[in-house]
Amino acid sequence: MSTKTLLATAVTATVLMGPALAVAEMRIGITQNNVGVDSYQTTYESAFIAAADANDEVRAVVLDAGGDVARQIAQVDSLIQQEVDAIIIWPTNGEAVIPAVRRAHNAGIPVVVTNSNIAEQGFDFIRSFSGPDNVTQGSRSAEIMCDKFKDMGIENEAKVVQISGQPGYTTAIERAAGFEDRLPEVCPNVDLMETQPGDWNRERSQQVMEAFLTKYDDIDGVYSGDDNMGVGALNAARAAGRDGIIFVGATNFSVGYDAMAEGDYWGSIYQSPVDDAEAALLTAIEILEGNDVPFLNYFDTPKITQDNMDEFTRPVF
């Protein structure tokens, strides 16, 4: 059953019970990573607010850390002082937020981590992680790239560079690890020459790719931690007249989907920010209602390439 269906079922059940049996209002606070940095996070916030507004039992306190760890820690402390019933956190840094998460746990407030997990040493202080399996995403991206190299007959000589996300950010670490671990398993002779951070930013990633193009005469493939960065790298290659490079990302943005349709970008991983937001809210609701939820509450993120992209709708972000 999809997250949307589950959420709709929960809302419908509340209506059918009627006011006499309705549970007390649930006050759920969320502190997000950085809404303005990309369209995925902007769409996530809109979807979260819409899902909360659709449930009469939920009152949401929606905050944004703007990429600032200190601000996010202050926001968690503020939500604790407000005595919200549950806290959802999209961490700005998987390690730095652990003391704040511990304080919420000690205050008896269940914490759900969304989209990008905190570091493992903080697992004792959270009730659930809701989001994608980022290691699997990186692994699937490696498989997409290797399969393409095999189709081209260059799997024994291809040279690859990687543009990772923000340093210290769990999603960036996990996607890079998934890619780096899986690539030598499926294409042992492919050479991953260098990795540099693109900070989830298209312009920054274009600059990183420009430096790669200057440094390396031969680049057969580029893996980027998301399509926003991947398209930045593609733009650099286009400007330099470097054709024939295979671009693979993770989290298929609309710009990546369009570049795939144009034949310039090979593949990615399909991930919906709407599903992401609704899953996080539903996980918090399930916890507050006393239901069991998985500690790692993943939703599926399938492979998308030029070969099967017609099976997927164009991303809204």
Side-chain angles (χ1 to χ4, degrees), residues 144-263:
I144 290 171
M145 182 170 283
C146 180
D147 288 345
K148 184 60 176 176
F149 286 160
K150 289 178 178 178
D151 288 343
M152 298 168 66
I154 61 171
E155 71 273 18
N156 291 318
E157 59 193 50
K159 300 180 184 300
V160 174
V161 292
Q162 177 181 201
I163 302 177
S164 59
Q166 182 180 343
Y169 189 67
T170 303
T171 295
I173 295 168
E174 291 180 342
R175 287 184 187 167
F179 182 82
E180 292 164 8
D181 290 345
R182 184 62 175 155
L183 187 63
E185 292 176 350
V186 291
C187 271
N189 295 321
V190 169
D191 181 13
L192 176 56
M193 298 184 293
E194 187 174 346
T195 298
Q196 290 294 335
D199 299 336
W200 307 124
N201 182 275
R202 193 181 308 171
E203 289 73 24
R204 166 62 180 157
S205 299
Q206 182 167 340
Q207 294 169 0
V208 170
M209 186 62 185
E210 288 169 351
F212 282 153
L213 292 168
T214 299
K215 185 174 182 180
Y216 300 108
D217 292 333
D218 295 320
I219 298 176
D220 299 295
V222 178
Y223 168 62
S224 300
D226 70 19
D227 281 1
N228 195 43
M229 296 190 296
V231 169
L234 172 61
N235 290 339
R238 283 170 169 167
R242 295 279 286 270
D243 299 325
I245 298 174
I246 303 305
F247 291 89
V248 175
T251 307
N252 186 217
F253 284 54
S254 58
V255 291
Y257 189 92
D258 292 344
M260 288 167 60
E262 294 166 2

Side-chain angles (χ1 to χ4, degrees), residues 111-125:
V111 177
V112 174
V113 180
T114 182
N115 186 271
S116 179
N117 214 340
I118 62 173
E120 189 172 350
Q121 57 265 37
F123 282 3
D124 288 343
F125 311 120

Side-chain angles (χ1 to χ4, degrees), residues 73 89 93-104 118-123 125:
I73 290 171
I89 181 170
N93 183 291
E95 293 186 1
V97 300
I98 290 176
V101 171
R102 182 192 297 115
R103 288 193 290 274
I118 62 173
E120 189 172 350
Q121 57 265 37
F123 282 3
F125 311 120

Side-chain angles (χ1 to χ4, degrees), residues 43-119:
T43 304
Y44 177 105
E45 181 182 63
S46 298
F48 184 90
I49 293 171
D53 287 346
N55 191 325
D56 292 337
E57 295 177 1
V58 172
R59 182 157 69 90
V61 181
V62 180
L63 305 173
D64 173 35
D68 187 325
V69 174
R71 182 186 301 175
Q72 186 162 65
I73 290 171
Q75 288 176 347
V76 173
D77 288 334
S78 174
L79 291 171
I80 295 170
Q81 292 171 4
Q82 294 177 52
E83 298 182 343
V84 297
D85 298 304
I87 293 174
I88 299 171
I89 181 170
W90 183 333
T92 53
N93 183 291
E95 293 186 1
V97 300
I98 290 176
V101 171
R102 182 192 297 115
R103 288 193 290 274
H105 169 77
N106 291 342
I109 300 173
V111 177
V112 174
V113 180
T114 182
N115 186 271
S116 179
N117 214 340
I118 62 173

